[in-house]
Amino acid sequence: MFLDVLNKFFGKESAGSKELAKERLRLVLVHDRASVTPEFFNQMKEDIIKVIREYMDIDDDAISVDLSNEDNSIALVANIPVKGFKRAVNQ
């Protein structure tokens, strides 16, 4: 905490805000490269989760869905913790 105060006093950013800005820039670049708007991505994410929720009980607080850029390709990376499966299928 004292180091953060000194860093602010001398005009240096803390490592946390620097990493946060770096992550935000990475996300902007990946979304731009994928040619999707954040609104489109959020709608797609909600639709995917809605479909999964029909078949499984999932941990809503731990869901992570993001785009990743590796080796000149874009991947949809999802971490959706499953609490259980729904046995009955609506017909």
Side-chain angles (χ1 to χ4, degrees):
M1 182 168 172
F2 182 69
L3 187 56
D4 289 339
V5 173
L6 287 177
N7 285 336
K8 285 182 181 179
F9 182 75
F10 290 110
K12 293 182 180 180
E13 290 184 50
S14 68
S17 66
K18 181 179 178 181
E19 289 302 316
L20 183 63
K22 188 176 177 181
E23 179 62 19
R24 286 182 181 159
L25 179 59
R26 186 192 69 77
L27 287 174
V28 168
L29 291 174
V30 169
H31 285 239
D32 188 49
R33 192 170 273 182
S35 298
V36 296
T37 64
E39 293 81 17
F40 175 85
F41 180 75
N42 286 334
Q43 183 61 50
M44 181 182 70
K45 178 180 163 183
E46 289 177 19
D47 290 346
I48 290 169
I49 292 169
K50 182 179 172 185
V51 169
I52 292 172
R53 196 174 281 130
E54 289 182 23
Y55 299 95
M56 300 176 193
D57 292 321
I58 57 178
D59 185 357
D60 290 336
D61 296 331
I63 292 173
S64 171
V65 179
D66 203 357
L67 293 175
S68 177
N69 185 15
E70 295 178 12
D71 300 329
N72 294 327
S73 65
I74 298 171
L76 178 66
V77 180
N79 183 5
I80 304 173
V82 177
K83 292 180 176 177
F85 291 88
K86 296 181 179 177
R87 302 267 180 207
V89 176
N90 296 335
Q91 296 181 10

